[in-house]
Amino acid sequence: MDDVISPRVRVPPRVRVQGRVRDVVVAGGRSLLLAVASLAGSTLLLVLSVVSLLLVPALGIGLLTTPRVVTWVRAWADWRRLTAVRWGGVRIPPRYRVPPTNAGRWARALWVLRDPATWREFAWLPLDVVLGFVTALVPAALVLYPFEGFALALGLWRVFTDGTYVGWWYGFVPVGGQGSALAAGALGAVLLVASYFLTPALLRLHFLLTGALLGAGRRELAERVRVLTETRRDAVDTSAAELRRIERDLHDGAQARLVAVGMDLGTAEALMEKNPEKARELLARARQSSADALAELRDLVHGIHPPVLAERGLGDAVRALALRLPVDTEVTVDVAGGRAQAPVESAAYFAVSEVLTNAVKHSGADRVWVDVRYADGSLRIAVTDDGRGGARVGGGSGLAGVERRLGTFDGVLAVSSPVGGPTVVTMEIPCELS
């Protein structure tokens, strides 16, 4: 029997060119945004970091301001990590040391200052101002700069000269008349062709440089072992705390109710002949207590691992979670191609649950949006609310616990929450679908 060979889909050249042009234009726009962001954002944070660190010896004022500045720097670095994954396919895992859960304000400040990742990000800021800005500007210039050459060739040169002297330089071409202006236009055409082939690659080069500056370098293996050790410890501590909570809930809730049911049934049995009316009352109370115990057991099991999560996956589990919220919640799910591994789905579910709980309790939001999607080898979840803003990792918000939970799987948490809102909490977990 002849083998059946499925024909390959041939994409018309025109469609391929249009797609490539679109990718080049998008990469150029992103490069321009990154160039402006690198120059403005990193410069501002660099100044704030230097001033805050200089204030540490001055009556300890810097110990109050530095943790807040570090929070801003880390949020800035996390945004760059997310753009590196989304726009360039370059993963830059965070390597933060997680402070003890019972650490006070001063202990956390000292812990953050002793974290090598803090000083690595401080050192990255001045390099990003220069190298990050240049490497982001080059691909944007390749897309935009050719149009200046075309404008010169079409007559813009007359604004700068009357044709008797060199009035403008375009690259290495001195523009002094129509002939040299046409040469500038030809150079612009060469640069435009070069941008067609080079712009996306140069943007990825910018992200690779960012990864080299933010990464742990040759100590990557040791850093990885350290992070795994800390995340494993946090996972063990979290599991132990969860077991203690389950034991407490069973002892104080369902177990107490079941004991009461047994006592009521025993009393009813003794009263069955002497006082049937009282026996029926005790039986009714025992029936209600058993129903309450069953409901508590169901809630407890749901808190351990929701059945809908095991049976129907993360998307439906998040939708079921949203239905129980007291605010309007819109859930969008785009996870085509299968399901993530059970531990990843469980971590993502409880992380979303914690973020939604924070939004309901603290943000004053009227509406929440949850977006769950899988792309580029990562599960990405964004939770947005229209509340008052001001959320940050730490400070008892619960987001620190979410960060530790995601860190077990090399996940990333980024929080954007200006005062006045909106708040956007983005979570990303690298995983494969099955």
Side-chain angles (χ1 to χ4, degrees):
M1 187 175 180
D2 294 336
D3 294 336
V4 179
I5 302 176
S6 59
R8 297 179 62 184
V9 179
R10 296 181 61 86
V11 180
R14 180 175 60 84
V15 176
R16 289 202 303 269
V17 171
Q18 289 176 347
R20 180 65 178 183
V21 169
R22 182 174 61 253
D23 292 343
V24 169
V25 172
V26 170
R30 290 172 172 174
S31 299
L32 184 61
L33 173 63
L34 286 170
V36 175
S38 297
L39 187 62
S42 293
T43 300
L44 175 62
L45 289 173
L46 176 62
V47 173
L48 291 176
S49 301
V50 171
V51 172
S52 183
L53 290 173
L54 290 177
L55 289 176
V56 170
L59 302 177
I61 297 176
L63 290 177
L64 297 175
T65 59
T66 300
R68 177 57 62 88
V69 173
V70 170
T71 300
W72 295 338
V73 172
R74 289 189 173 183
W76 175 240
D78 284 340
W79 181 77
R80 299 293 291 275
R81 290 184 178 98
L82 287 175
T83 57
V85 172
R86 293 178 178 177
W87 296 352
V90 177
R91 281 199 56 80
I92 312 173
R95 300 299 186 212
Y96 300 130
R97 292 183 176 179
V98 181
T101 55
N102 58 349
R105 181 175 182 179
W106 294 105
R108 283 180 175 272
L110 293 175
W111 183 279
V112 167
L113 289 176
R114 286 196 294 262
D115 190 347
T118 299
W119 297 99
R120 186 162 55 244
E121 289 178 352
F122 282 158
W124 162 68
L125 290 174
L127 295 174
D128 189 55
V129 171
V130 181
L131 296 179
F133 170 73
V134 171
T135 55
L137 184 63
V138 169
L142 272 181
V143 175
L144 299 175
Y145 193 48
F147 294 97
E148 181 184 336
F150 300 153
L152 290 169
L154 292 175
L156 184 64
W157 64 272
R158 293 185 176 88
V159 176
F160 306 106
T161 178
D162 58 4
T164 60
Y165 60 92
V166 174
W168 190 258
W169 282 81
Y170 179 75
F172 55 82
V173 177
V175 178
Q178 185 60 51
S180 55
L182 292 175
L187 177 59
V190 172
L191 293 176
L192 191 62
V193 172
S195 71
Y196 180 85
F197 295 99
L198 298 178
T199 298
L202 289 174
L203 178 59
R204 180 176 171 81
L205 179 63
H206 166 81
F207 292 129
L208 290 173
L209 175 65
T210 302
L213 296 176
L214 281 178
R218 287 180 293 181
R219 297 190 302 168
E220 180 72 24
L221 183 58
E223 193 76 1
R224 175 65 175 157
V225 171
R226 180 192 61 76
V227 171
L228 286 176
T229 301
E230 291 186 355
T231 54
R232 183 184 63 182
R233 181 199 64 201
D234 292 333
V236 171
D237 292 343
T238 302
S239 298
E242 187 70 10
L243 288 174
R244 289 192 297 270
R245 182 190 67 82
I246 294 170
E247 181 181 9
R248 183 179 63 251
D249 290 347
L250 283 174
H251 182 272
D252 298 340
Q255 180 179 337
R257 291 187 182 277
L258 291 175
V259 170
V261 168
M263 295 175 62
D264 287 341
L265 289 176
T267 306
E269 184 180 7
L271 295 174
M272 188 65 69
E273 296 181 356
K274 298 179 180 179
N275 192 346
E277 188 66 28
K278 183 63 175 179
R280 281 194 294 270
E281 180 182 340
L282 290 174
L283 289 174
R285 191 169 67 183
R287 184 174 60 251
Q288 182 60 44
S289 296
S290 65
D292 293 340
L294 181 60
E296 288 185 0
L297 287 173
R298 286 175 176 170
D299 291 340
L300 184 61
V301 171
H302 189 276
I304 298 172
H305 193 81
V308 66
L309 178 62
E311 295 170 4
R312 304 184 61 179
L314 180 62
D316 287 336
V318 173
R319 292 190 182 99
L321 186 65
L323 291 175
R324 299 196 298 269
L325 295 180
V327 298
D328 292 336
T329 305
E330 180 180 334
V331 179
T332 303
V333 180
D334 182 10
V335 185
R339 293 178 55 178
Q341 295 178 349
V344 173
E345 284 193 337
S346 179
Y349 172 83
F350 286 107
V352 172
S353 177
E354 181 67 29
V355 172
L356 290 176
T357 301
N358 280 353
V360 172
K361 287 184 176 180
H362 306 297
S363 72
D366 298 320
R367 192 168 182 82
V368 179
W369 296 265
V370 183
D371 181 74
V372 182
R373 64 184 62 247
Y374 181 84
D376 300 328
S378 296
L379 182 65
R380 298 172 184 165
I381 306 172
V383 180
T384 306
D385 67 66
D386 60 356
R388 65 178 67 94
R392 61 186 180 90
V393 178
S397 66
L399 293 177
V402 174
E403 188 175 44
R404 288 194 297 271
R405 184 185 294 273
L406 299 180
T408 307
F409 301 92
D410 276 347
V412 178
L413 173 72
V415 180
S416 173
S417 184
V419 177
T423 296
V424 182
V425 179
T426 305
M427 296 164 281
E428 182 173 314
I429 308 175
C431 62
E432 297 293 336
L433 299 185
S434 59

